[in-house]
Amino acid sequence: GQNIDQPTEMTATEGAIVQINCTYQTSGFNGLFWYQQHAGEAPTFLSYNVLDGLEEKGRFSSFLSRSKGYSYLLLKELQMKDSASYLCAVSPNDYKLSFGAGTTVTVRA
Amino acid sequence: GAVVSQHPSRVICKSGTSVKIECRSLDFQATTMFWYRQFPKQSLMLMATSNEGSKATYEQGVEKDKFLINHASLTLSTLTVTSAHPEDSSFYICSARDRARSTEAFFGQGTRLTVV
């Protein structure tokens, strides 16, 4: 089976930085994804990592270490609209995605 | 980016009736689509993998006779919840991966099903 762990909740202040960690143990590895999901809406794609290292995309960055089974999503210059659930998902050796339980981020003024 | 359209966005039905949810890839061909179910404050649980022109592959614990999946074309997959019960009330989401751009999975808007 697939095991993907991430914290349940995080709270941060507007303008601050928050790092959401994700650890995984899967039967194979074909990439790790981060999605943002607002309540009642479908997930939207944020990032994809398949090689070790940091991928930066605007205020969001994602890091991967395959040897450690570890990734993080870094959100900089937090805005109120960033309050959402952030899902870590791993693709095993095919086109499936296995999702973590999600991390609810609350941004406070 | 690629667009996946899911319809309806909300549906309320009576117990015992069936509901069909459509998932369309609008600007790419999706040989494989996925159906997820999400309970409040929980993550997405994969129900089944829908393959164009062949039978769907269901995850363990998902009743294939209750959740009928049809993938008749490269751009359309349907999920039919048969003989719905209140415990089937949930958020159902489809996704598709564009094999020409294999890194992303694109999600439909989701369907909020309420069975009364």
Side-chain angles (χ1 to χ4, degrees), chain B residues 1 6 12 32 35 37 41 43 46 49 51-52 55-56 59 63 76 85 88 97 105 112 114:
Chain B
Q6 186 174 341
I12 300 173
T32 305
W35 288 96
R37 182 173 182 176
K41 298 187 178 181
S43 192
L46 180 65
T49 303
N51 300 296
E52 187 267 335
K55 291 182 179 180
E59 296 299 303
E63 301 176 57
L76 174 64
H85 291 282
D88 297 326
R97 290 180 80 160
R112 173 72 60 192
T114 303

Side-chain angles (χ1 to χ4, degrees), chain B residues 30-55:
Chain B
T31 54
T32 305
M33 290 186 177
F34 304 92
W35 288 96
Y36 295 86
R37 182 173 182 176
Q38 186 176 35
F39 291 105
K41 298 187 178 181
Q42 294 186 25
S43 192
L44 283 73
M45 297 299 297
L46 180 65
M47 299 174 65
T49 303
S50 168
N51 300 296
E52 187 267 335
S54 64
K55 291 182 179 180

Side-chain angles (χ1 to χ4, degrees), chain A residues 47-96:
Chain A
S47 69
Y48 169 74
N49 295 71
V50 67
L51 300 176
D52 290 350
L54 186 68
E55 294 281 342
E56 297 186 83
K57 190 184 291 186
R59 294 189 297 115
F60 295 171
S61 303
S62 57
F63 172 83
L64 175 67
S65 170
R66 289 172 297 171
S67 62
K68 296 181 179 178
Y70 168 72
S71 172
Y72 68 73
L73 178 69
L74 195 69
L75 286 63
K76 297 180 243 183
E77 301 171 17
L78 279 174
Q79 302 175 9
M80 300 300 288
K81 67 178 182 180
D82 297 330
S83 292
S85 180
Y86 292 85
L87 308 175
C88 174
V90 175
S91 181
N93 292 325
D94 54 24
Y95 276 76
K96 291 182 181 181

